Amino acid sequence: MTNVSEQIKMNDDGTEPSDGNHSIEGQPTVTLNSYEAETLSELREKINGTIDCLTKTDKAVTSVASGCELFLRSITLTSLDQPDFQQCRIKLVNRGQLYLKVAYQSRAKIAKLCMPFISDGATILVHARSRVVIQLLRDVAATKKRFSVFATESRPDFSGAELQQSLSDYGIPTTVILDAAVGYIMEKVDLVLVGAEGVVESGGIINKIGTYQMAVMAKYCNKPFYVLVESFKFVRLYPLNQHDVPNEWKYPTCPDPSASEHPLVDYTPPHFITLLFTDLGVLTPSAVSDELIKLYS
């Protein structure tokens, strides 16, 4: 499969693709349209300013950072053959809109890849509220397969309740469990599904706090631990332990955390992960580094 940058190069013909993404990921494209600039370097500086604002949010800082970096590389590191700056600007906007369109459509691709791994009658454990996991479970339910879901409450924001509501809207039986009950419930499930805020060079993931302990328990109980993640969340980082994850990702609202501050994400090493389902294909953790090099080259 082609990644976002490669598809932009193949479609870089000056036409404007439809915009299918209305999330926070669209803000750099808004910058391209609204900011006044006379040169490419000035425009890049404006985009970097917007990216800096986005990475100061308290939501999914890891994925925002990697997605924005890949967005910027995708629109500015390919050739621009127009001598007129305004024409270059139009082409950059077109590339940005195509990047967002491809990124938005990646969830459907990932769900399609993972669907055969969900058997009829399966019991699934999920953690946090991942949009790509919701997409998968919704698509599986549409095929009339019967399955049930255990969802952790996912403190501190209790996103498990939101996930339960989202799945209940599609008629998927979902039970919210305590985060501390993961070990108790693991023997009852057939597989574990999680999203990810970031995929690092080792093939491990950075995700909502509690993911690591869930992966450890799944490994101990010999349960498949599947990660569903878009390629724009691949990040250039090689942590060896929890301490190596940047504090601005673990404590986005507290630049100088105290000992009593709780991290919002943790790092799950690659040897606890069975497979990663991405828009680049189904990957083993050891295959991630090669794909990450392609994305950033």
Side-chain angles (χ1 to χ4, degrees):
M1 292 187 181
T2 56
N3 61 42
V4 176
S5 300
E6 289 171 342
Q7 186 150 342
I8 286 174
K9 292 175 183 176
M10 290 189 294
N11 290 274
D12 199 2
D13 58 0
T15 59
E16 184 172 344
S18 60
D19 184 10
N21 196 345
H22 302 285
S23 70
I24 193 171
E25 297 150 15
Q27 292 305 311
T29 301
V30 174
T31 300
L32 287 173
N33 278 314
S34 61
Y35 279 174
E36 295 183 2
E38 300 298 329
T39 64
L40 285 175
S41 60
E42 186 178 350
L43 187 60
R44 185 184 180 96
E45 183 179 345
K46 298 288 187 181
I47 298 172
N48 279 325
T50 300
I51 290 173
D52 186 57
C53 290
L54 291 175
T55 54
K56 286 182 170 59
T57 64
D58 61 351
K59 298 291 185 182
V61 176
T62 310
S63 56
V64 170
S66 61
C68 286
E69 182 177 359
L70 284 169
F71 172 87
L72 188 59
R73 294 177 66 87
S74 295
I75 67 170
T76 61
L77 294 187
T78 50
S79 61
L80 291 168
D81 51 10
Q82 282 80 10
D84 180 67
F85 172 72
Q86 292 306 321
Q87 291 298 316
C88 289
R89 184 183 185 131
I90 291 172
K91 176 162 283 193
L92 291 175
V93 171
N94 292 338
R95 290 178 183 174
Q97 291 173 333
L98 179 58
Y99 176 94
L100 298 177
K101 178 183 177 182
V102 175
Y104 183 81
Q105 293 174 340
S106 63
R107 294 182 200 134
K109 294 181 181 179
I110 295 168
K112 185 176 181 181
L113 288 172
C114 194
M115 283 180 65
F117 290 78
I118 310 298
S119 59
D120 192 36
T123 302
I124 304 167
L125 177 62
V126 299
H127 182 56
R129 187 182 184 277
S130 163
R131 287 177 292 180
V132 67
V133 170
I134 292 173
Q135 172 95 40
L136 166 65
L137 297 178
R138 183 193 69 181
D139 292 353
V140 173
T143 67
K144 306 304 180 182
K145 283 185 180 180
R146 298 166 301 165
F147 63 94
S148 59
V149 174
F150 285 109
T152 59
E153 59 182 348
S154 303
R155 294 192 179 204
D157 61 359
F158 296 95
S159 56
E162 297 179 22
L163 175 65
Q164 181 188 40
Q165 183 60 54
S166 297
L167 297 182
S168 296
D169 290 342
Y170 296 106
I172 300 171
T174 306
T175 302
V176 176
I177 65 171
L178 297 172
D179 289 335
V182 167
Y184 176 84
I185 211 72
M186 190 64 71
E187 65 182 29
K188 298 183 179 182
V189 306
D190 299 298
L191 68 154
V192 180
L193 294 176
V194 299
E197 292 190 16
V199 179
V200 299
E201 295 178 51
S202 65
I205 64 169
I206 296 170
N207 196 40
K208 178 77 173 287
I209 189 73
T211 303
Y212 177 37
Q213 64 190 26
M214 183 179 288
V216 172
M217 187 56 64
K219 182 80 169 181
Y220 180 81
C221 294
N222 199 29
K223 307 288 184 177
F225 186 88
Y226 297 138
V227 178
L228 285 70
V229 60
E230 303 94 326
S231 61
F232 69 79
K233 295 181 180 179
F234 282 36
V235 59
R236 291 186 296 181
L237 185 71
Y238 203 111
L240 299 178
N241 50 43
Q242 306 298 332
H243 179 74
D244 288 344
V245 178
N247 275 350
E248 58 266 29
W249 295 357
K250 292 186 289 187
Y251 313 98
T253 60
C254 185
D256 188 21
S258 65
S260 61
E261 195 75 23
H262 293 286
L264 298 183
V265 299
D266 58 27
Y267 166 61
T268 301
H271 53 274
F272 292 110
I273 297 170
T274 308
L275 289 171
L276 297 100
F277 294 86
T278 78
D279 48 298
L280 305 177
V282 183
L283 306 177
T284 61
S286 61
V288 166
S289 59
D290 289 340
E291 296 298 333
L292 196 143
I293 290 171
K294 293 176 187 176
L295 281 173
Y296 285 91
S297 63

